Every structure is written in structure tokens, then in C-alpha cells.
Amino acid sequence: MVSYIFRRTLMAIPLLLGITILSFAIIKAAPGGPVAMLMDPKMKASDKEKFEEKYGLNDPIPVQYFKWLGNMAKGDFGESLIKRGTPVSELILNRLPNTLLLMTVSFLLTVLIAIPIGIYSAMRPYSPLDYTFTVGSFLGVATPSFWFGLILIMFFSVTLGWFPTGGVATLNAPFSLWDRIHHLILPAFVLATADLAALTRYTRSSMLDVLKQDYIRTAMSKGFKEKKVVIKHGIRNGMIPIITLFGLMLPSFIGGAAITEKVFSWPGLGQLFIDSAFQRDYPVIMALTVISAVFVVIGNLLADILYAIFDPRIEY
């Protein structure tokens, strides 16, 4: 298993390098790029040359890329163009805990709700409750997260006043765990909705295939209770295809978090990315793009490892 993980990690390195090259090339080719953001239009020619030399803008593009890659490998993503003098790594580290908290709670919500519903729908297909869950799943997949978030804010925050409209905590209030949970409920639910619906459908489909297998029917014919057969023999085999989905859900949470964090004014990496994109803060955009790529690679790596653990037919 260790050699399998090592090989899979090595295979991820070229992919990450390819993403950094592509991201760097796109940023350099963007109109009104970093140079336009850094330079003052009224700057003298002599000062402009010193400025370009200071930031290495006179170097060939490949040299600039390798300098940026070397600094990034040491954890140095440069300085923000908007917040002059502030390291990008500091901005990211300040926002990262909020995003990780939101993603973790959303993931737990998704798994704890979707899998039991999917298993029940497979055990009672075409029942009234199964049709209800199916319609709910389609609505969850089809509903845009920003629209759903605004609807929840209008109803639960503005009309009923049950939850705050945004933020991670009440302004100028002492730390309170309930206050954090109170602010977390709506954004976590919105972020979980789309993946919850998809995971429910995948679980139902996978469990339906497993429950039709001969070994399940044989166990049933021996007089074992349906619940016991499903728990002991069905769930493990039915969850094997779902495990792959877990790994792919990680990057989808990051993408969904950008919109959800903006709607709920949640100070995380997603909101930082959108703000940086509008303000053309290229060092921050580059850093967050690389971090997102790392999450994608980690998600796929975790999926492969879990797949190998749960399915003994996989050779590693």
C-alpha cells in the first residue's frame, strides 16, 4: 500500500506542474495584467526601469516562471497588489480556517443525510417516500447555490429573524460556540445541497444494483432480516463506487464555497478569490489557483487509496 501511495503521489507531480504553467501563462497573457496593476501611469521612464528590474519584469517569461515556482515551493507567494506589503501567504492563512470549517461541516451534513436516504430509497424503490426524495434530489441539483442562499436569507434571516444574514460571528461580541454555529448553519446547508442531491442519487443507484445480487437474495432466503442483510453485506459493496465520489466532492466544495462565501459574507478563501479576481490581485489569484489544484489532486489521491482499501480486487 505504501508503494502504491508513493507511485500515485509521484504521478500527481507532473499534473501540478502543468497546472502552474497553464495558470502562469494565462495570467501573463491577461489584458491589463500584473504590470499594469503595479505601475503608476505617471511614472518616469527611469523609475519604470527600476520598477521592472525590482520585480524581475524584464526577465524572460520562463525565468519569471521558475523564480515564481521556486518561491512558491518555499511558501512565498509574493505580496498582494491591493494590500501593499501584505504577504499573500498571510492573507490565505487568515482565511483558510473559515473555509476548512465550512467545508468540513458541509461534507458531514452531505454524508450523514444523503447516504441513509439513498439506502432507504434503494430498499423501498418507487414508494411514495422514494418519489419524494427523487424530486427533492432533482430540485437540489437544479437549484443554483447563490439563488438558494438568497432565498434562505430572505426567509430565515429577514422575515423570521432566526439566523444572521452573514459573517462568521456577531460583530464585537465575545467568542461563543453557539454564535459560531448560528452563523454557520445557513451557508453550510447551502453548500451541502448540490452534493447532497447528487450523492443521494448515486447511493440509491449503487445500492439498487447490490440488492439485486444473488448473494443478497440467498441471505434473504435463509431467513435473515432485511435490515441485517443490507447492513452486513449490502452497504460495504454498495459504497465502493460512492468512495470515488467522495474524492471528487472535495474540489466541488471549494468551487461552491466561492459563491456561498460571497453570498453569506463568509470570510474564507472563496470570498478572497472572488474579491481578488474583481480587483485583479494576480499574486493572490495565482496562489489560490495552485491551492485549488492541490485540493483536486489530494481529492483524487484519497479516492484511489480508499478504493484500493475497500475493494480487494484492486491490485496495488
Side-chain angles (χ1 to χ4, degrees):
M1 176 59 81
V2 175
S3 62
Y4 174 74
I5 296 173
F6 182 70
R7 288 200 310 273
R8 287 291 292 109
T9 306
L10 284 181
M11 289 169 62
I13 292 175
L15 176 63
L16 281 174
L17 284 176
I19 292 171
T20 60
I21 293 172
L22 190 61
S23 303
F24 193 84
I26 290 173
I27 291 296
K28 286 295 178 184
V35 179
M37 285 295 297
L38 286 167
M39 289 185 177
D40 185 347
K42 299 178 181 178
M43 190 179 288
K44 296 179 181 176
S46 58
D47 294 334
K48 188 179 291 187
E49 288 179 6
K50 291 179 182 177
F51 194 87
E52 289 177 341
E53 187 176 349
K54 177 183 175 182
Y55 286 94
L57 301 176
N58 289 327
D59 296 332
I61 297 296
V63 174
Q64 292 184 41
Y65 167 73
F66 283 110
K67 281 184 177 177
W68 171 78
L69 190 65
N71 291 332
M72 189 190 68
K74 295 183 288 187
D76 180 9
F77 291 101
E79 295 181 356
S80 167
L81 300 182
I82 303 302
K83 298 180 179 179
R84 295 290 179 90
T86 304
V88 174
S89 56
E90 183 180 321
L91 288 174
I92 291 173
L93 288 176
N94 287 338
R95 302 291 190 101
L96 184 61
N98 292 330
T99 294
L100 290 179
L101 176 64
L102 181 62
M103 286 173 55
T104 303
V105 173
S106 301
F107 178 78
L108 292 176
L109 273 177
T110 303
V111 172
L112 293 177
I113 296 174
I115 290 182
I117 290 177
I119 293 173
Y120 178 86
S121 295
M123 292 172 65
R124 300 288 182 272
Y126 313 114
S127 64
L129 207 51
D130 178 38
Y131 282 120
T132 304
F133 291 143
T134 300
V135 172
S137 298
F138 286 134
L139 285 176
V141 172
T143 304
S145 59
F146 72 91
W147 182 83
F148 188 46
L150 292 175
I151 291 296
L152 291 187
I153 289 174
M154 283 294 296
F155 187 69
F156 288 105
S157 301
V158 178
T159 305
L160 298 178
W162 289 358
F163 298 101
T165 55
V168 70
T170 303
L171 196 62
N172 298 326
F175 175 81
S176 164
L177 182 59
W178 168 243
D179 185 53
R180 292 298 175 95
I181 296 173
H182 200 206
H183 283 76
L184 184 61
I185 291 174
L186 288 187
F189 185 71
V190 170
L191 185 56
T193 300
D195 284 312
L196 190 152
L199 187 60
T200 300
R201 301 304 301 163
Y202 273 104
T203 304
R204 180 185 183 277
S205 175
S206 178
M207 286 300 296
L208 272 177
D209 289 339
V210 170
L211 294 179
K212 292 176 183 174
Q213 298 297 315
D214 291 340
Y215 66 90
I216 295 290
R217 286 202 292 266
T218 303
M220 293 280 196
S221 64
K222 287 183 178 179
F224 292 110
K225 291 183 179 178
E226 182 189 26
K227 188 177 178 182
K228 185 177 180 180
V229 173
V230 171
I231 293 175
K232 190 172 181 180
H233 302 289
I235 290 179
R236 175 165 180 164
N237 292 325
M239 287 299 102
I240 291 175
I242 307 301
I243 289 168
T244 307
L245 195 62
F246 286 159
L248 300 177
M249 282 169 59
L250 186 62
S252 73
F253 272 120
I254 298 173
I259 299 170
T260 306
E261 288 181 1
K262 190 64 181 175
V263 170
F264 288 94
S265 301
W266 187 266
L269 293 182
Q271 191 186 52
L272 178 64
F273 185 85
I274 290 179
D275 291 342
S276 302
F278 278 115
Q279 296 169 335
R280 292 193 295 172
D281 197 345
Y282 293 102
V284 179
I285 296 172
M286 288 290 295
L288 291 175
T289 302
V290 172
I291 290 173
S292 297
V294 170
F295 271 104
V296 171
V297 171
I298 291 175
N300 282 280
L301 182 62
L302 284 175
D304 288 345
I305 293 171
L306 290 173
Y307 205 84
I309 291 174
F310 279 84
D311 191 346
R313 295 169 296 181
I314 301 294
E315 294 182 0
Y316 50 85

